[in-house]
Amino acid sequence: MHLNQLVKINQEGIVASSVNFGHLQDSEANLRLCKGFIFNYNSHKPENSTIGILDRLCGTYQSRTLPNIHLIVQDYGKGKSHFAVTVANFFQKGFDTPEVQGIVTQVAVAAGTSNPVAQRIKNYKQNQKYRHLVICLSGDHPGDLREQFLASLLQVLEQEGVTETIAQQLCSEPLRYLNSLSPEERKTGDDYLAEIDCPEGDIKQLIQLLEEHCLQAEVLNRYL
């Protein structure tokens, strides 16, 4: 018997460096990352393997009694970001998409097609009625985390075609109010903002920040 009869090469698997959530916007790179993530599985300690973690994440959405906060700690360069991009695609996209099909295939390669965990992950996705709204935040981006969350949330809602949410009104309603101010009211407002040394600037700058979806709602509440 030859070695190639016992071992099958994972031809889609890749070891990617410098992966970040920006790859989600690059369809070709994103698909390559999904098809190429190399899962591992430890049946004795499933929580120490990427397949076990993905299975736990699926379980979180199926049971209200299971923990819904998961912390992954690993050394630099061990694939945490690649795994995060893979998980984001798994929950965001439909079962029949090439991204999810690539992920499910890699799970089966690592654990075995007949493995109950691999089958459970596949069934979860196959039977999922509604897609999840996935918001990706990265701690290495400059700026306030709450500001980043609001900007990311608004971007995802727009991409998914979701409208009339409270999050979208956090910016639209104040923006409508500021644009309705008369010249005299604007001057009064600008004088007040200058008096308290508002870090966001004058009303014109507040409007610009709101239009870019980059201003925290609580900042606005302080001044309006």
Side-chain angles (χ1 to χ4, degrees), residues 60-71:
T60 295
Y61 290 105
Q62 294 175 313
S63 172
R64 295 184 178 182
T65 61
L66 293 177
N68 58 6
I69 298 176
H70 304 273
L71 175 64

Side-chain angles (χ1 to χ4, degrees), residues 3-198:
L3 183 62
N4 62 5
Q5 294 177 294
L6 299 173
V7 179
K8 182 179 179 181
I9 297 176
N10 186 346
Q11 297 183 356
E12 295 285 355
I14 59 174
V15 178
S17 60
S18 302
V19 178
N20 57 64
F21 287 133
H23 287 95
L24 292 168
Q25 310 306 321
D26 184 336
S27 58
E28 291 185 8
N30 184 53
L31 177 58
R32 187 166 59 252
L33 290 170
C34 290
K35 287 185 173 181
F37 184 78
I38 302 173
F39 285 90
N40 65 325
Y41 181 61
N42 185 337
S43 59
H44 300 293
K45 291 185 177 181
E47 68 276 6
N48 290 346
S49 65
T50 48
I51 288 181
I53 294 170
L54 181 58
D55 182 45
R56 282 199 169 195
L57 290 171
C58 294
T60 295
Y61 290 105
Q62 294 175 313
S63 172
R64 295 184 178 182
T65 61
L66 293 177
N68 58 6
I69 298 176
H70 304 273
L71 175 64
I72 300 175
V73 180
Q74 185 54 280
D75 294 335
Y76 177 82
K78 296 296 184 179
K80 296 186 301 298
S81 297
H82 192 172
F83 183 52
V85 169
T86 302
V87 169
N89 277 277
F90 179 81
F91 286 102
Q92 184 181 50
K93 298 183 180 296
F95 177 75
D96 293 326
T97 62
E99 291 84 1
V100 172
Q101 286 298 306
I103 295 169
V104 170
T105 297
Q106 287 291 359
V107 168
V109 167
T113 306
S114 60
N115 186 292
V117 178
Q119 193 61 47
R120 189 160 60 236
I121 290 173
K122 180 180 179 179
N123 289 342
Y124 169 83
K125 196 62 190 176
Q126 197 168 17
N127 298 327
Q128 183 181 335
K129 295 182 179 180
Y130 306 103
R131 288 163 55 197
H132 298 290
L133 186 69
V134 177
I135 302 170
C136 300
L137 302 178
S138 179
D140 59 359
H141 284 191
D144 186 89
L145 187 60
R146 288 171 294 184
E147 178 181 322
Q148 185 187 156
F149 171 78
L150 179 57
S152 299
L153 174 59
L154 292 171
Q155 180 183 11
V156 171
L157 290 173
E158 183 177 353
Q159 291 173 347
E160 297 294 335
V162 180
T163 60
E164 301 300 324
T165 66
I166 294 177
Q168 290 161 318
Q169 294 175 11
L170 288 176
C171 285
S172 62
E173 293 302 320
L175 183 60
R176 186 179 297 112
Y177 169 76
L178 291 177
N179 281 323
S180 69
L181 294 176
S182 66
E184 293 78 12
E185 290 172 327
R186 281 205 177 197
K187 184 178 184 309
T188 301
D190 285 337
D191 290 344
Y192 170 71
L193 294 174
E195 179 183 340
I196 64 174
D197 195 23
C198 172

